Amino acid sequence: MASKKIRQVTPASELLKKLGVHLDPELLVLALTHRSFAHEAGGIPTNERLEFLGDSVLGLVAAEALYLEYPERPEGDLAKMRAATVSQRPLAKIARRLELGQYILLGKGETRTGGRDKDSILSDTVEALIGAVYLTHGLEVAQKFVHSLIDDILHEAADLGAGLDWKTSLQEICARLGFEAPVYENAGDGPDHARTFTSTVIVDGKAYGTGTGSAKKHAEQEAAENAYRTLKALEDAKLKKNA
């Protein structure tokens, strides 16, 4: 038990080495302070304001990179590519690559319910760290820092096709197949601080896909992805039959 506790409070220098930037210790602690920990500690400041700032910096850097690198892509594609890069799931992937979960300051309840591996908490902490880097070093260094985090995902997004926006892609394939527009049935479970949503996609009265997530929109995207893959197989089979 003791060794696990030591692992969770790994020295800040180890994290900063992974990030490749210097941050004031107090600012780093703030960037890692989840509201569940702050509440249990008597209402100390949380990382939410830094998260707000980091979200804006991240969006700007990603938008500029896409604008400059893909001059032939229309605005709609660029918006989808940005969303596929800076949304919760890819940011959580970045956090796991950094093993960020072990450094986050969480309350006991959130820790018990697996908060160190929740997409929402991991992605919010990445944004808070971006905000901290911006406050410390300004836009130029923050820009380099963001690129070090997202460049691989940014380039992957350019080749995602339907995966740029599963809900839109599902709507389009439904139209091609002559089906009604998809309808999402959503349900939430668990306490407010650890809520899990389940979404089911209904097309022409039939369930074609389900998904789960810590937010309704993420559950819907996963459900849409599963439904799209099912309908794409149906569409391909029809095209092959008619060939």
Side-chain angles (χ1 to χ4, degrees):
M1 189 70 176
S3 61
K4 184 177 180 182
K5 192 171 184 180
I6 291 172
R7 184 59 183 161
Q8 288 177 355
V9 288
T10 309
S13 58
E14 181 179 311
L15 175 57
L16 291 176
K17 185 176 180 181
K18 291 180 180 181
L19 298 177
V21 293
H22 171 74
L23 290 174
D24 178 82
E26 288 188 12
L27 189 59
L28 177 61
V29 169
L30 180 60
L32 298 172
T33 301
H34 186 258
R35 64 175 178 268
S36 61
F37 181 90
H39 177 73
E40 292 183 10
I44 64 175
T46 75
N47 65 1
E48 291 174 357
R49 283 169 53 84
L50 282 176
E51 174 201 336
F52 165 78
L53 179 61
D55 175 65
S56 296
V57 175
L58 172 62
L60 172 62
V61 174
E64 181 190 40
L66 289 167
Y67 179 85
L68 295 174
E69 194 158 344
Y70 301 100
E72 78 288 354
R73 303 292 282 264
E75 180 272 340
D77 282 0
L78 295 179
K80 291 177 183 179
M81 290 162 68
R82 180 178 59 185
T85 303
V86 305
S87 59
Q88 187 178 100
R89 189 175 294 183
L91 292 183
K93 181 180 177 181
I94 290 168
R96 291 189 179 97
R97 187 176 72 207
L98 296 168
E99 299 178 299
L100 190 56
Q102 64 184 307
Y103 305 97
I104 301 172
L105 298 174
L106 289 177
K108 294 177 182 177
E110 195 64 73
T111 300
R112 282 196 301 269
T113 57
R116 297 189 186 281
D117 196 45
K118 287 182 181 177
D119 283 2
S120 57
I121 293 176
L122 290 172
S123 60
D124 288 350
T125 306
V126 170
E127 290 177 340
L129 286 168
I130 292 171
V133 171
Y134 173 78
L135 278 183
T136 302
H137 300 286
L139 184 57
E140 185 175 348
V141 172
Q143 187 177 34
K144 292 178 181 177
F145 176 64
V146 169
H147 277 292
S148 73
L149 298 178
I150 71 168
D151 272 0
D152 289 346
I153 296 174
L154 201 69
H155 294 138
E156 288 173 8
D159 301 317
L160 277 177
L164 282 172
D165 184 347
W166 289 114
K167 291 182 70 174
T168 299
S169 297
L170 176 61
Q171 196 164 357
E172 291 170 350
I173 197 172
C174 284
R176 291 201 303 270
L177 291 171
F179 293 160
E180 295 179 358
V183 176
Y184 295 84
E185 295 183 351
N186 299 306
D189 183 55
D192 289 343
H193 70 277
R195 204 148 180 78
T196 298
F197 291 89
T198 300
S199 181
T200 302
V201 180
I202 308 297
V203 178
D204 280 359
K206 180 180 177 181
Y208 275 90
T210 60
T212 59
S214 57
K216 186 172 69 173
K217 64 181 180 180
H218 302 305
E220 288 181 349
Q221 283 286 348
E222 185 175 294
E225 177 183 356
N226 292 328
Y228 175 88
R229 294 187 186 281
T230 299
L231 291 177
K232 188 68 171 71
L234 177 63
E235 182 182 49
D236 290 345
K238 284 188 174 182
L239 291 173
K240 186 176 181 181
K241 183 179 180 181
N242 296 330

